[in-house]
Amino acid sequence: MQNNATYLLSSFEENPDGFFQGYCFDKEDFIFGQSGADEYLKATDKDISFGEDGCYVLARKVGENFVIGSDSAGYKKILYFHDKKLGVWVVSNSIVLMIEHLTKHSIQITPNLESLLMLSIEISATQQPMTFDTIVKEISILPINTVLTIGKNSLDIEKVQDEEVDVVNYSEIILNFANMWASRFSTLMSCENVLIQQALTGGLDSRAVFSLSHLAYKNIDSSNNSDYRLSSYLTNGSDIDIKIADKISSNYGYELNRKGNSVYKVKYLSDEDNYLTWKNTCLGLYQPIYFPESEIDYKKVKIGGGGGENYRPFYTKRPNTNNYSDFVKLLCSKLNKKSLQLGFAINLYETLLRIQDLDQCGKEIDPLILHYRHFRNRFHTGLSPQYRVSFNPLSSKYLANIAKKDNSKKIQNLQVLYDLINLTDDLLNLPYDDPKKAPVKENFDQLIKVNSNISIKKGSIFVGQSVEKDIKPKISKSVVFKYLKEDFDRACNTKLVKELWNEDFINKASKVLDKAIDNGKFASAKEGIPISTIIATGLF
């Protein structure tokens, strides 16, 4: 199955000369789908560029080759296979589709045991790839912010050049970022037919994003805006997030978790499409199991606070990972085949060197932040944008350079977030879910003043002609689990699963799956890790 969540281009296929799948912002303008891209070109006489904020893949035929790139965060993954000797190439965002396609054309593939074994480890760093290798030795991951040129005799990877974000001055980065995202919020909020659902918690990241959205909301004509809703939910059984989010909402004139009929009607996926969208998008690449439910539709937009760890250390919260060497040691210690540990360690160090070279940052950005940006942020934070129109402003290209060493003190003391929150009056002074997150005197002393320079410019929306489909009823998750069970049972009978995973691991995974089938859901998405690991192994 290929839908608007997956794609595949191949030397075996008749490929289009130009191809755009997904959605993005180009400055203040919002573009959705191929018809939206065509409309944008017609209206502006401009092509969409590689490396914009959003979730998309863009391909163009140039001579005998294809030039392929994606969004700035790499959310729309690009995986590639190239055999120069055979003159064969395949590009997709799906391991499953690539394996099926290559097998269909009698191309031999080889399991990557190192990558397969790491799939089963249930820590945040291993829930997605840690290098540019995949579970298939012959398939690689294209690094973020790069462009792939591929053809019968060509394979080249180059950095996306973007002078627009080549800014290093701290205040200028904050101002450019605030102007751009307040303008983008204004664009979305000015569209009457769009439902915007924005997450708000008691923490810092979502509050920083709310500060930007509020600037836009109070700037537009309230009689001509979207259906804009702020939401907050229980976290690990605690209602602290809801209480604080409610206080923030009411303080600025919003109703948290507002009910009422929306003009938007959810376009649910069929049970089979629901399952296959997960399988083709995530299997072998992101281990926790989240099913998508609905189609990708520009009329429903989700706004989140993900991406803050792109400019502040995340992995240092874990024991014995204060630097990249500790991080490598920790990961290698999880690999239960000692014969593979040395090669894995070398691969992790080579991955860092490659990232530093491609990002042209040398040692200017903390290696742990860089690794998070290329892998954890891309596959974890980037999951929601693959299932729906979803933006995480803190992952924006306009904020990326804030992580450089000149700003290291501001990163360590969370000054970046406080400066963003301070764009909305008094927002800094409202309570937090943890009192330790509140700014201290040093933060207040360092606050920059950019409010007077904020300039909000509403853009246009380019969505082309959309075909209205019949609204399907919401499906029962138990039906989706039926397909998961079938693939799991099939995988358990394959030779590699029996060789790689012991009976205890398989039986525990089977019990978790049976319990999820009875309950119609996993207790948490992480419960699905052993199950997706076994199904991924069974692809060979």
Side-chain angles (χ1 to χ4, degrees):
M1 183 195 94
Q2 291 180 54
N3 55 17
N4 57 0
T6 58
Y7 68 91
L8 186 141
L9 303 170
S10 166
S11 57
F12 292 110
E13 301 288 327
E14 288 291 331
N15 303 300
D17 289 343
F19 176 74
F20 177 84
Q21 185 189 77
Y23 55 90
C24 70
F25 275 107
D26 187 335
K27 292 189 169 59
E28 303 86 9
D29 294 332
F30 173 66
I31 304 154
F32 178 86
Q34 183 66 63
S35 59
D38 294 340
E39 186 179 64
Y40 176 76
L41 175 62
K42 185 176 179 180
T44 65
D45 201 30
K46 285 169 50 183
D47 284 319
I48 299 169
S49 301
F50 300 112
E52 300 292 352
D53 289 336
C55 180
Y56 68 95
V57 61
L58 176 64
R60 298 188 182 110
K61 190 173 184 181
V62 179
E64 296 299 313
N65 301 323
F66 275 84
V67 180
I68 305 168
S70 70
D71 54 273
S72 61
Y75 289 158
K76 197 75 165 182
K77 305 176 294 292
I78 296 178
L79 315 173
Y80 62 94
F81 168 93
H82 186 260
D83 189 319
K84 192 173 181 179
K85 188 175 180 181
L86 295 175
V88 169
W89 61 269
V90 182
V91 176
S92 179
N93 63 336
S94 171
I95 285 281
V96 175
L97 293 179
M98 292 182 82
I99 289 175
E100 289 175 352
H101 185 73
L102 290 166
T103 304
K104 173 185 171 184
H105 291 282
S106 303
I107 303 294
Q108 187 174 352
I109 57 167
T110 316
N112 184 333
L113 299 185
E114 178 184 287
S115 296
L116 283 168
L117 287 167
M118 293 303 290
L119 292 182
S120 66
I121 310 301
E122 297 183 25
I123 60 173
S124 57
T126 60
Q127 290 174 7
Q128 59 285 312
M130 291 147 284
T131 71
F132 297 114
D133 295 338
T134 71
I135 61 171
V136 183
K137 284 188 177 181
E138 295 83 6
I139 296 175
S140 300
I141 302 167
L142 186 72
I144 64 173
N145 272 319
T146 62
V147 175
L148 174 71
T149 299
I150 196 165
K152 182 178 179 180
N153 299 306
S154 301
L155 180 67
D156 188 48
I157 297 171
E158 293 183 351
K159 164 84 173 164
V160 172
Q161 301 299 328
D162 191 344
E163 294 180 5
E164 188 182 14
V165 294
D166 241 0
V167 180
V168 292
N169 177 270
Y170 178 83
S171 297
E172 195 175 345
I173 292 173
I174 294 290
L175 178 60
N176 288 350
F177 171 75
N179 279 337
M180 189 58 68
W181 275 96
S183 296
R184 290 171 171 182
F185 276 120
S186 183
T187 301
L188 294 173
M189 290 175 174
S190 298
C191 182
E192 293 182 4
N193 296 321
V194 171
L195 168 65
I196 301 175
Q197 295 178 311
Q198 182 170 345
L200 183 61
T201 69
L204 291 168
D205 290 346
S206 68
R207 188 176 305 204
V209 176
F210 170 77
S211 181
L212 296 167
S213 64
H214 180 63
L215 288 176
Y217 194 84
K218 69 180 185 180
N219 186 65
I220 63 175
D221 179 0
S222 61
S223 66
N224 181 34
N225 58 24
S226 62
D227 185 358
Y228 175 67
R229 303 187 182 196
L230 288 169
S231 6
S232 189
Y233 305 99
L234 291 174
T235 305
N236 298 324
S238 170
D239 64 353
I240 184 67
D241 277 327
I242 297 176
K243 288 179 178 177
I244 293 174
D246 187 50
K247 188 174 184 65
I248 294 171
S249 301
S250 58
N251 195 70
Y252 294 96
Y254 303 93
E255 180 187 351
L256 186 70
N257 295 332
R258 176 170 59 84
K259 303 296 182 184
N261 293 327
S262 170
V263 295
Y264 177 75
K265 302 300 180 186
V266 179
K267 298 177 181 176
Y268 292 109
L269 292 164
S270 69
D271 51 2
E272 185 177 18
D273 283 352
N274 187 313
Y275 177 71
L276 289 176
T277 298
W278 164 77
K279 181 180 177 180
N280 291 341
T281 304
C282 298
L283 190 63
L285 294 165
Y286 183 65
Q287 291 306 97
I289 297 179
Y290 295 89
F291 294 115
E293 285 195 348
S294 59
E295 294 182 12
I296 302 172
D297 186 356
Y298 77 91
K299 292 181 181 178
K300 184 179 181 182
V301 179
K302 182 180 177 183
I303 306 295
E309 291 82 2
N310 282 341
Y311 54 88
R312 69 172 182 266
F314 171 80
Y315 291 126
T316 51
K317 294 177 185 176
R318 302 199 166 276
N320 302 317
T321 56
N322 293 318
N323 53 56
Y324 197 77
S325 293
D326 288 343
F327 181 66
V328 172
K329 289 175 186 175
L330 174 68
L331 294 180
C332 288
S333 71
K334 303 291 183 182
L335 190 57
N336 61 16
K337 281 192 180 294
K338 289 191 175 181
S339 60
L340 298 174
Q341 288 181 357
L342 178 60
F344 186 42
I346 293 170
N347 197 353
L348 286 165
Y349 281 113
E350 288 177 343
T351 296
L352 174 61
L353 292 174
R354 190 176 181 198
I355 291 171
Q356 289 174 330
D357 180 55
L358 287 169
D359 281 21
Q360 298 173 359
C361 65
K363 297 180 180 179
E364 278 295 301
I365 297 179
D366 184 322
L368 289 176
I369 292 176
L370 268 184
H371 192 278
Y372 185 97
R373 187 181 292 180
H374 274 262
F375 299 101
R376 178 68 175 169
N377 181 69
R378 184 178 191 179
F379 293 89
H380 172 69
T381 309
L383 176 64
S384 178
Q386 295 176 83
Y387 282 173
R388 58 185 66 84
V389 176
S390 177
F391 290 105
N392 297 295
L394 297 181
S395 283
S396 173
K397 67 176 187 176
Y398 290 94
L399 204 56
N401 275 350
I402 208 88
K404 293 201 170 179
K405 276 186 178 177
D406 288 349
N407 302 318
S408 58
K409 186 73 183 296
K410 293 181 185 293
I411 293 167
Q412 289 166 11
N413 68 4
L414 303 178
Q415 192 66 39
V416 176
L417 292 172
Y418 296 133
D419 280 322
L420 292 173
I421 293 169
N422 192 49
L423 293 170
T424 290
D425 294 340
D426 298 324
L427 187 55
L428 266 178
N429 300 312
L430 293 176
Y432 296 84
D433 57 357
D434 181 349
K436 292 178 183 178
K437 293 180 181 179
V440 296
K441 183 179 183 301
E442 179 187 17
N443 297 122
F444 283 107
D445 290 344
Q446 291 180 12
L447 289 172
I448 59 172
K449 306 294 182 184
V450 297
N451 296 53
S452 60
N453 295 318
I454 295 292
S455 174
I456 299 177
K457 177 183 176 184
K458 181 171 74 73
S460 300
I461 291 182
F462 298 92
V463 297
Q465 296 295 319
S466 58
V467 178
E468 292 299 324
K469 300 179 180 179
D470 293 335
I471 303 298
K472 301 183 183 76
K474 187 174 183 179
I475 63 168
S476 167
K477 279 283 175 37
S478 60
V479 180
V480 179
F481 277 100
K482 178 189 76 173
Y483 293 106
L484 189 67
K485 174 70 171 171
E486 288 173 359
D487 271 344
F488 179 81
D489 289 344
R490 190 180 301 116
C492 288
N493 289 318
T494 62
K495 181 182 177 184
L496 187 59
V497 167
K498 292 176 180 177
E499 289 177 352
L500 213 56
W501 305 111
N502 61 41
E503 237 180 89
D504 184 52
F505 181 80
I506 295 171
N507 288 337
K508 283 181 179 177
S510 183
K511 288 177 182 177
V512 169
L513 180 52
D514 288 341
K515 185 177 178 182
I517 291 171
D518 290 341
N519 296 332
K521 63 179 182 179
F522 289 114
S524 73
K526 286 178 63 176
E527 271 197 341
I529 290 177
I531 296 154
S532 60
T533 295
I534 288 169
I535 296 174
T537 308
L539 293 173
F540 298 92

